[in-house]
Amino acid sequence: MVDLLLGLQWGDEGKGKIVDVFTKNYNIISRFQGGPNAGHTLIFDGNKNVLHTIPSGIFHKTATNVVGNGVVIDPVIFKKEIDNLADYNINFKTKLLISRKAHIILPTHRLLDAASETLKGKAKIGSTLKGIGPTYMDKTGRNGIRIGDLELDDWKERYNTLTKKHLKLLDFYGVDIEYNLKELEEEFFNAIELLKTLTFIDSEEFFNQALRNNKSILAEGAQGSLLDIDFGTYPFVTSSNTTAAGACTGLGVAPNKIGEVFGIFKAYTTRVGSGPFPTELFDQDGETMSRVGNEFGATTGRPRRCGWLDLVALKYSVQINGVTQLIMMKADVLSGFDTLKACTSYDYKGEEIQHLPYNIEEDNVTPVYTEFKGWKKDLTGLNNKADLPENLLNYIKYIEEFVEVPVKIVSVGPDRKQTINL
Ligand code: IMP
């Protein structure tokens, strides 16, 4: 079966750490959507590594890592990731397989991303500017260049045709974006040479064959459910399906091959970039979460917006994804608060509702909170459920009852070891 590990909020839930913890249970770890807009942080043995495109199983000896067809790859960032892992002596040729159907981010996709954001002015999405949106636009527009094209004789012609079109589009946008295409291309083609030394596969065949051989597969989501192109807070979303269904189309496995759906959420909420965030805090509590939780983007370094847990939004994500088990991250960050709050309904235009409305604006949605007693105990050194403070267990119990799915793991720090089974 293919198990899924998905973020249930606006990304940055800590998926990298949990995939890393889970890897020993799986033969294959895969990515099915997104690209280097993701930043999965893994901390072990005193080292910190941030992965953007490479699946988080790369540090384990036994797992094969596959970049699925639904992913978009920037060769330049990919090369940097591989170069950064030089000390680990990983055999990338055998441990990292790439779908021929994955699309390539060209240098001009990044320029188009920047131009499009600039033109949006105040309505900008807060994109990571990695060229994700324009690459998926070319994919659905049937203009894209795929990894498998690198094996064809005419791929450079295709590259030139698409780049020419992008330059015309840039002209049409008429915004001042500074760039040196020659330098960008030099870096790009250099990275392509490295990419070509890796193993390209027909990943849908690979996965289905693996399933026939009873191999276990974990699909690692990127971003979060509320950034899903269809079900997120559109238009402040990313350009792929980050939810469970995206794993089927992004890997080529049928829905009846999906097993467990692990849903991962922070004990509070964060968001980077623009867009609605009903429980966002602008006070001391939000600052405390930001400081204690070290809430800065792993890809862009931008400060993350912080707020209380939004259970209405969490329940929505659980429902869309068919989550079977929950994993709560960063419970340690909430130690020290006298009172915790969780949003349990919205006041939407004067009416109390318990679902995510179509149009969430700052002035039409007010969160209605339920309060919980906090705890003072430092959780970061704990290993057992029995040591967890009663008030944390009460908070967890309330969440489980609200969303009707059990919380199976609580994370109390960034290290692999700081993970408690409930
Ligand atoms: P894009 O996918 O880079 O265009 O960004 C679109 C929106 O998704 C922006 O608000 C980004 O901040 C957000 N976003 C993209 N990737 C991530 C991620 O991995 N974690 C959190 N937010 C992300």
Side-chain angles (χ1 to χ4, degrees):
M1 291 304 253
V2 182
D3 291 345
L4 311 183
L5 187 121
L6 307 170
L8 301 182
Q9 294 159 318
W10 280 287
D12 309 313
E13 295 90 354
K15 295 177 287 290
K17 166 181 162 168
I18 294 299
V19 179
D20 183 49
V21 170
F22 278 15
T23 311
K24 58 181 185 311
N25 308 331
Y26 292 92
N27 304 119
I28 299 163
I29 311 291
S30 60
R31 278 276 309 269
F32 62 87
Q33 47 72 225
N37 47 349
H40 292 169
T41 307
L42 289 83
I43 299 180
F44 54 90
D45 303 337
N47 294 319
K48 175 174 163 175
N49 287 287
V50 181
L51 298 173
H52 298 287
T53 325
I54 296 177
S56 304
I58 199 72
F59 296 106
H60 278 258
K61 286 216 165 56
T62 50
T64 302
N65 293 268
V66 184
V67 178
N69 59 280
V71 175
V72 290
I73 298 175
D74 184 331
V76 176
I77 297 179
F78 206 73
K79 178 175 183 310
K80 278 189 194 140
E81 279 187 74
I82 288 190
D83 291 347
N84 285 343
L85 299 179
D87 288 348
Y88 290 91
N89 280 326
I90 296 164
N91 183 347
F92 289 104
K93 179 95 185 148
T94 54
K95 285 204 60 176
L96 180 60
L97 313 177
I98 305 174
S99 170
R100 290 198 171 88
K101 293 195 172 79
H103 279 246
I104 301 180
I105 302 176
L106 307 188
T108 40
H109 281 131
R110 272 184 274 140
L111 302 176
L112 286 170
D113 215 357
S116 161
E117 276 285 81
T118 309
L119 261 188
K120 284 190 167 144
K122 265 194 178 160
K124 76 174 180 143
I125 290 165
S127 165
T128 61
L129 302 179
K130 302 292 178 200
I132 307 294
T135 307
Y136 279 112
M137 279 166 72
D138 272 337
K139 174 178 179 174
T140 50
R142 295 152 299 172
N143 297 310
I145 296 183
R146 302 185 289 175
I147 288 291
D149 293 344
L150 299 178
E151 296 170 326
L152 305 179
D153 291 337
D154 68 342
W155 95 266
K156 273 204 179 145
E157 276 164 47
R158 293 175 196 220
Y159 168 88
N160 287 332
T161 308
L162 190 54
T163 298
K164 253 190 218 156
K165 182 180 163 191
H166 288 166
L167 294 176
K168 278 192 192 146
L169 271 174
L170 269 177
D171 238 15
F172 176 76
Y173 277 147
V175 288
D176 225 4
I177 303 283
E178 264 187 41
Y179 63 91
N180 180 333
L181 188 60
K182 201 162 165 274
E183 273 177 24
L184 292 175
E185 288 191 330
E186 218 174 276
E187 188 183 39
F188 176 75
F189 286 116
N190 185 16
I192 289 280
E193 289 313 309
L194 174 102
L195 204 56
K196 280 176 158 176
T197 65
L198 301 178
T199 306
F200 301 160
I201 58 166
D202 295 326
S203 51
E204 61 283 13
E205 291 303 324
F206 174 88
F207 286 121
N208 285 293
Q209 185 61 41
L211 286 169
R212 278 192 290 275
N213 293 338
N214 287 324
K215 299 281 185 216
S216 53
I217 304 172
L218 181 68
E220 168 187 19
Q223 291 83 49
S225 301
L226 301 175
L227 288 171
D228 182 277
I229 183 73
D230 282 283
F231 298 108
T233 45
Y234 193 90
F236 301 99
V237 292
T238 192
S239 304
S240 58
N241 283 114
T242 59
T243 43
C248 294
T249 54
L251 299 178
V253 295
N256 62 354
K257 297 290 187 302
I258 303 298
E260 293 292 329
V261 182
F262 301 105
I264 177 159
F265 70 104
K266 273 182 194 162
Y268 49 101
T269 310
T270 64
R271 174 165 204 169
V272 264
S274 337
F277 179 179
T279 62
E280 182 170 12
L281 292 169
F282 301 95
D283 60 7
Q284 194 58 48
D285 288 340
E287 268 173 40
T288 305
M289 289 171 191
S290 166
R291 180 173 41 79
V292 181
N294 193 23
E295 294 295 356
F296 295 92
T299 297
T300 58
R302 292 178 290 178
R304 296 179 185 139
R305 301 152 65 192
C306 295
W308 296 116
L309 182 62
D310 185 339
L311 285 175
V312 178
L314 191 70
K315 193 166 183 168
Y316 173 82
S317 297
V318 164
Q319 173 179 286
I320 294 281
N321 292 308
V323 171
T324 57
Q325 300 187 29
L326 285 165
I327 300 170
M328 181 198 264
M329 306 301 287
K330 290 194 152 183
D332 54 300
V333 174
L334 294 186
S335 292
F337 283 95
D338 290 326
T339 306
L340 305 181
K341 293 183 188 177
C343 169
T344 44
S345 62
Y346 296 143
D347 178 335
Y348 179 64
K349 299 180 179 172
E351 190 194 339
E352 191 162 331
I353 60 167
Q354 276 207 333
H355 67 271
L356 231 62
Y358 176 75
N359 179 27
I360 306 178
E361 305 265 350
E362 230 171 83
D363 50 3
N364 66 10
V365 169
T366 312
V368 179
Y369 289 111
T370 299
E371 296 196 348
F372 304 83
K373 276 197 191 134
W375 57 90
K376 297 284 176 219
K377 191 171 183 176
D378 174 13
L379 310 180
T380 55
L382 304 183
N383 305 309
N384 288 310
K385 180 181 177 187
D387 300 327
L388 293 176
E390 198 185 333
N391 288 347
L392 169 59
L393 292 172
N394 289 339
Y395 184 54
I396 291 172
K397 188 158 179 275
Y398 187 93
I399 295 168
E400 289 178 321
E401 282 170 8
F402 195 95
V403 305
E404 297 175 85
V405 176
V407 177
K408 294 286 197 177
I409 290 177
V410 178
S411 171
V412 292
D415 197 280
R416 262 183 200 165
K417 292 187 198 122
Q418 292 168 301
T419 310
I420 301 176
N421 289 312
L422 296 188

